């Protein structure tokens, strides 16, 4: 069972922290705001720190991933295991985390992860090595709609055979395990969004990944 714990805010003085946090995503204008401030894209950790304070914790984790090259003419295909290092910037007081990863092949930019209070029961996706001690304590606004933690996000009648559906002004596609929807992804939206559901029956948000647009 996942237990959310309350942790003191760290990084900058408590008096300097905002009293409430509002994360606003607008896929029509391709914009991201935190407490009304336009967020640079790709995400800039220095700007994030000015708004939220320094992370409560920073962590790294290195794991092996498989890298494959296709063969071409006289060059045979290759397959090898390489190191990928993930960097976690964790804001325990807000229930937010920024993550990026680097390997000898490619460096991926920061992505924002908002953790709701609903533990993910599905086990078909890799779990995080680190995550905030608290659930998201602010307001998440998507295209003028407040996304609620207790809301069932998949409309009635939508299943794994559905081609797509619109929710909060975004066209969503779905992935499934067996015949049960476990994850939603924004089909054409920018910023790109990926929602991980908690369980098949409740279909609430466990966490949402926000991929800022790249230049």
């Amino acid at each position: 069972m996942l237990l959310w714990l309350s942790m003191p805010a760290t990084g900058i003085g408590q008096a300097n922290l905002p009293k409430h946090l509002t994360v606003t995503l607008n896929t029509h204008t391709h914009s991201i705001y935190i407490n009304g401030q336009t967020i640079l894209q790709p995400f800039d950790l220095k700007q994030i720190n000015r708004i939220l304070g320094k992370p409560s914790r920073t962590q790294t984790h290195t794991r092996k991933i498989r890298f494959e090259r296709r063969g071409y003419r006289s060059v045979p295909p290759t397959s090898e295991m390489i190191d990928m290092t993930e960097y976690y910037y964790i804001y325990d007081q807000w229930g937010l985390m920024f993550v990026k990863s680097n390997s000898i092949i490619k460096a991926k930019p920061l992505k924002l992860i908002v953790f709701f209070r609903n533990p993910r029961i599905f086990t078909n996706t890799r779990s995080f090595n680190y995550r905030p001690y608290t659930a998201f304590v602010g307001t998440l606004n998507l295209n003028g709609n407040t996304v609620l933690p207790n809301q069932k996000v998949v409309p009635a009648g939508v299943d794994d055979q559905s081609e797509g559906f619109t929710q909060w002004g975004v066209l969503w596609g779905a992935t499934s395990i067996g015949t049960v929807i476990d994850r939603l992804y924004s089909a054409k939206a920018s910023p790109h969004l990926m929602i991980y559901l908690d369980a098949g029956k409740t279909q609430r948000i466990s966490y949402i990944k926000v991929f800022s647009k790249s230049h």
Side-chain angles (χ1 to χ4, degrees), residues 126-197:
R126 187 174 65 91
S127 59
F128 293 100
N129 294 286
Y130 304 97
R131 60 186 300 154
Y133 291 129
T134 57
F136 180 58
V137 296
T139 300
L140 178 62
N141 185 288
L142 177 53
N143 293 335
N145 304 280
T146 300
V147 180
L148 302 173
N150 60 348
Q151 179 180 3
K152 184 175 181 179
V153 301
V154 180
V158 173
D159 58 25
D160 64 307
Q161 299 300 313
S162 302
E163 293 186 358
F165 66 93
T166 300
Q167 179 77 286
W168 306 302
V170 177
L171 176 63
W172 300 96
T175 66
S176 60
I177 175 68
T179 60
V180 180
I181 294 176
D182 77 298
R183 184 171 44 170
L184 308 177
Y185 60 90
S186 57
K188 299 179 180 179
S190 173
H192 179 63
L193 309 172
M194 191 170 291
I195 291 176
Y196 290 73
L197 303 179

Side-chain angles (χ1 to χ4, degrees), residues 1 5 15 18 35 46 54 75 88 93 125 130 140-141 146 153 168 190 192 199 203 209:
M1 178 180 293
L5 301 176
N35 283 3
K46 291 182 179 179
K54 292 182 179 179
V75 179
Y88 297 80
Q93 67 271 35
T125 52
Y130 304 97
L140 178 62
N141 185 288
T146 300
V153 301
W168 306 302
S190 173
H192 179 63
Q203 294 184 327
K209 292 183 180 180

Side-chain angles (χ1 to χ4, degrees), residues 9-14 16-18 21 34 37 44-58 89-94 96 98:
T10 59
I12 61 176
Q14 178 72 28
N16 296 325
L17 289 172
L21 192 67
I34 295 180
Q37 299 186 58
D44 184 321
L45 195 60
K46 291 182 179 179
Q47 185 200 30
I48 299 300
N49 289 348
R50 288 197 297 269
I51 298 172
L52 299 181
K54 292 182 179 179
S56 309
R57 296 174 289 140
T58 57
Y89 305 92
I90 307 166
Y91 294 82
D92 287 317
Q93 67 271 35
W94 300 121
L96 303 177
F98 288 84

